[in-house]
Amino acid sequence: LKSGDIAKEEKFKLILTSKIESKLPPLLLKSCKQIVIENEQGLKKNMIDQLLNDTSPLSLHKLNNIKPKELKKLYLVLVWFFSLLLSRLRFSKGGFTKRYEISQSDLRNAEKFIGKFIISKYETDEVEFEVSAEMLETVGKMISSLIFGGKFDDHGDLQALQRCGFALFRSGMLGSHFNILEFGGSDKLSAPEGYNTMDYVEWIKNLPEKEPMDWLGLPEDAETTQREIIERKSTEAFQRILEAI
């Protein structure tokens, strides 16, 4: 290559593959046509980023002394809902009919609504405060139908989103043995009980690195199908680049 003999061949093309790496020479990157294929974050990674990252507004350490204490569990379930939604959006088969733009701002808006709504009730009746089934139903409707659901223009997609929200924000979610996978179907995973921060941290760390498709309410072959779609799109992208150079 240094001699330039190969470079004189008009049809010569060199294809390099690499992980995203800071050690790659900048000059090489600038002189290449690039295709970047990134693995999207799974459910556990999103949970860690939102709840175990000290820079996050929803960091569990920042929620240590929050009042009422029920907000900690509500925020945990909110982040689970958000992470579940992002994970489903990665898959074409069984997920949603299109890729909706769901962002951190939607999560922040949901967090602010829950905080203001619950705290307003808490300040009104602080001595005998209890998060009622009606309050949880209101939270579920607001989050799934408006804050996140407002972006969904397909009726079937919106219904799937609402089923998820109503399955999570319901009577019993603050009690013991609350199955946080009820939306998914056959599997069962109890949410952490009580409000101890370390119990929440351990629960998140013990989540599997790659969530089962059933947790997302998707068919078992959804991941295989998605991999095939990505491979096909990558091949098509390579072909377009080869034709262009």
Side-chain angles (χ1 to χ4, degrees), residues 90-239:
R90 291 161 42 210
F91 297 93
S92 299
K93 182 173 182 179
F96 298 109
T97 59
K98 59 190 289 189
R99 185 71 180 249
Y100 297 96
E101 291 298 324
I102 302 299
S103 66
Q104 295 283 337
S105 62
D106 300 306
L107 177 62
R108 297 285 87 82
N109 288 334
E111 170 207 341
K112 290 176 183 177
F113 166 74
I114 291 175
K116 288 182 179 179
F117 178 67
I118 298 298
I119 289 174
S120 68
K121 302 290 185 183
Y122 173 70
E123 291 176 344
T124 303
D125 191 17
E126 185 174 344
V127 178
E128 299 179 3
F129 177 76
E130 180 183 358
V131 178
S132 66
E134 291 77 13
M135 292 165 65
L136 292 173
E137 183 180 348
T138 299
V139 169
K141 284 182 178 178
M142 186 69 180
I143 289 173
S144 58
S145 298
L146 292 176
I147 297 176
F148 289 97
K151 294 187 173 183
F152 283 59
D153 54 15
D154 180 87
H155 182 65
D157 289 345
L158 179 59
Q159 282 189 319
L161 179 68
Q162 290 172 329
R163 284 198 302 272
C164 179
F166 298 158
L168 291 172
F169 295 96
R170 60 174 177 80
S171 175
M173 69 159 287
L174 296 174
S176 58
H177 308 298
F178 170 65
N179 182 18
I180 205 166
L181 297 180
E182 188 165 313
F183 167 73
S186 60
D187 215 341
K188 184 173 182 178
L189 176 68
S190 294
E193 298 184 18
Y195 305 99
N196 182 280
T197 296
M198 290 313 300
D199 289 344
Y200 282 43
V201 171
E202 287 303 309
W203 185 84
I204 294 168
K205 288 183 175 180
N206 287 331
L207 291 171
E209 296 298 329
K210 183 184 292 186
E211 67 274 6
M213 292 299 97
D214 185 57
W215 286 23
L216 308 179
L218 298 177
E220 290 184 5
D221 62 343
E223 189 171 18
T224 302
T225 302
Q226 190 66 20
R227 190 181 303 115
E228 292 171 352
I229 292 172
I230 292 173
E231 289 173 355
R232 186 182 70 248
K233 289 183 177 179
S234 299
T235 301
E236 292 172 353
F238 275 120
Q239 288 175 340

Side-chain angles (χ1 to χ4, degrees), residues 10-133:
E10 292 183 3
K11 295 183 179 180
F12 174 76
K13 298 176 179 65
L14 179 63
I15 298 175
L16 302 174
T17 60
S18 171
K19 293 181 179 180
I20 296 176
E21 174 58 66
S22 60
K23 294 180 180 179
L24 289 171
L27 184 61
L28 173 66
L29 295 175
K30 287 182 181 179
S31 57
C32 295
K33 291 184 179 294
Q34 302 171 37
I35 296 176
V36 179
I37 302 173
E38 296 184 79
N39 290 325
E40 296 179 282
Q41 291 189 172
L43 195 151
K44 180 178 182 178
K45 184 64 167 60
N46 278 312
M47 294 288 289
I48 290 173
D49 284 351
Q50 298 300 330
L51 294 170
L52 304 189
N53 183 352
D54 287 339
T55 63
S56 169
L58 286 171
S59 166
L60 286 172
H61 295 297
K62 293 179 181 178
L63 302 178
N64 254 338
N65 300 313
I66 196 168
K67 291 183 179 182
K69 62 183 183 301
E70 289 85 355
L71 276 173
K72 184 182 287 188
K73 185 75 164 283
L74 282 164
Y75 287 146
L76 172 83
V77 176
L78 170 63
V79 173
W80 180 270
F81 173 81
F82 176 71
S83 303
L84 195 68
L85 179 54
L86 291 183
S87 295
R88 277 181 65 92
L89 284 168
R90 291 161 42 210
F91 297 93
S92 299
K93 182 173 182 179
F96 298 109
T97 59
K98 59 190 289 189
R99 185 71 180 249
Y100 297 96
E101 291 298 324
I102 302 299
S103 66
Q104 295 283 337
S105 62
D106 300 306
L107 177 62
R108 297 285 87 82
N109 288 334
E111 170 207 341
K112 290 176 183 177
F113 166 74
I114 291 175
K116 288 182 179 179
F117 178 67
I118 298 298
I119 289 174
S120 68
K121 302 290 185 183
Y122 173 70
E123 291 176 344
T124 303
D125 191 17
E126 185 174 344
V127 178
E128 299 179 3
F129 177 76
E130 180 183 358
V131 178
S132 66

